[in-house]
Structure formats: C-alpha cells, structure tokens
Amino acid sequence: DKPVSPTDRVKVTLALKQRNIQIIEELVLQVSDPNHSEYGNYKSLDWIADMVAPLPETIKKITSWLVSIEAEDIQLVKSRDFIVFHIQSQKLETALNIKMHKFYHKASGRVMVRTLDPVYLPPHIAPDIDLVLGLTDFFDYNSERTKMRKLILDKTPYK
C-alpha cells in the first residue's frame, strides 16, 4: 500500500436500486415456460430498462450530488441502473470521509487505487444505491477476463 496523489483519478460505479424486480422475475418465468401465453415473448433492453431503472428524479438527485463533489465523466449506462464516473482521489476522500491508497495487484501487475475504510454514502442518496464498485473491491476484471479467454481458446488449465 502506497500513498495516493490528490489528483489521481478513481473510476467508481454506482449500482442504483432497481424497481419492479418482482415483475421482471415473473416475466422471466413466463417467457421461459412453454405452457404460458407469454412464452418466447422476449422484451427489449429499453422495455426492461423502463421497468427497472430508478425514476428520473432519483437519477437527477444522484447526478446532482456527483456534480457537487466535482465528479467527472458522469455516465448513465443504457439500462439506466448504473452510473459510472471518475473523480480525483482527494475529492473522493473528502466527500466520503475515506483515505485512498495505491495497491499492487500481483496477478495483473496493475496498480489499484482503493480504500480499506468503510464507505458510507450521504443519507439523501444512500437508499437509492445498492452497491459501490471501485473503492473496496480488489478483483481485477481485465486479468480474469484474459485468463478465461485463454482457458476457452487454448484449453489451458485455469490457475
């Protein structure tokens, strides 16, 4: 673990609380059941996003908070249930009362900027967010994806 420069950028992903999950669960069962009238009637990503995405005012509240802490490159994914942004480490530390550190990921050789502190979101947005990625997780998606590709294509044993 090494010190972080105040201007090091951190990529953070917020998984927003979805709506109508029970309806989607029922739909999955219906479209998968050959005996149901909805069998094979698959819905588009836009239809599903309309059902599960948070309400526009919820998204606006969260993005307004992100702007207020000077987050950059704020992007709402197509399904509208994740927000991805970048922010300078010092601004993130101040906003969430955490301390960021640099860690060396042995398997990938990458340096990750993460915190070991508990992450508490402000009370006005916390109920609308299910998960925060990029602050405390050490899983390296890129190196694992490369290992899986090699396993599938080369039939090399996974280690």
Side-chain angles (χ1 to χ4, degrees), residues 13-21 24 43-56 59 75-84:
T13 301
L14 303 177
L16 309 182
K17 190 169 293 297
Q18 296 175 322
R19 301 175 303 121
N20 301 316
I21 296 303
I24 296 299
K43 305 301 182 197
S44 69
L45 176 60
D46 288 335
W47 189 93
I48 294 170
D50 288 342
M51 291 297 293
V52 302
L55 296 172
I59 294 169
Q75 296 179 352
L76 183 66
V77 301
K78 185 173 180 168
S79 58
R80 301 191 314 269
D81 55 353
F82 286 89
I83 294 176
V84 180

Side-chain angles (χ1 to χ4, degrees), residues 3-19:
V4 175
S5 163
T7 57
D8 281 346
R9 285 171 41 106
V10 181
K11 179 181 177 181
V12 181
T13 301
L14 303 177
L16 309 182
K17 190 169 293 297
Q18 296 175 322
R19 301 175 303 121

Side-chain angles (χ1 to χ4, degrees), residues 13-104:
T13 301
L14 303 177
L16 309 182
K17 190 169 293 297
Q18 296 175 322
R19 301 175 303 121
N20 301 316
I21 296 303
Q22 186 175 355
I23 293 171
I24 296 299
E25 288 173 354
E26 290 173 17
L27 179 66
V28 167
L29 295 174
Q30 292 170 359
V31 301
S32 304
D33 180 358
N35 298 317
H36 197 280
S37 61
E38 287 293 311
Y39 177 67
N41 186 16
Y42 303 108
K43 305 301 182 197
S44 69
L45 176 60
D46 288 335
W47 189 93
I48 294 170
D50 288 342
M51 291 297 293
V52 302
L55 296 172
E57 54 266 26
T58 300
I59 294 169
K60 183 176 182 183
K61 175 175 57 171
I62 295 167
T63 55
S64 293
W65 174 73
L66 291 172
V67 168
S68 78
I69 65 168
E70 300 183 52
E72 301 168 344
D73 308 322
I74 302 168
Q75 296 179 352
L76 183 66
V77 301
K78 185 173 180 168
S79 58
R80 301 191 314 269
D81 55 353
F82 286 89
I83 294 176
V84 180
F85 64 96
H86 291 86
I87 186 167
Q88 291 180 359
S89 62
Q90 185 176 39
K91 292 174 183 178
L92 185 62
E93 289 175 336
T94 301
L96 299 179
N97 194 28
I98 57 176
K99 182 71 179 149
M100 302 301 288
H101 305 273
K102 287 184 180 179
F103 295 90
Y104 177 72

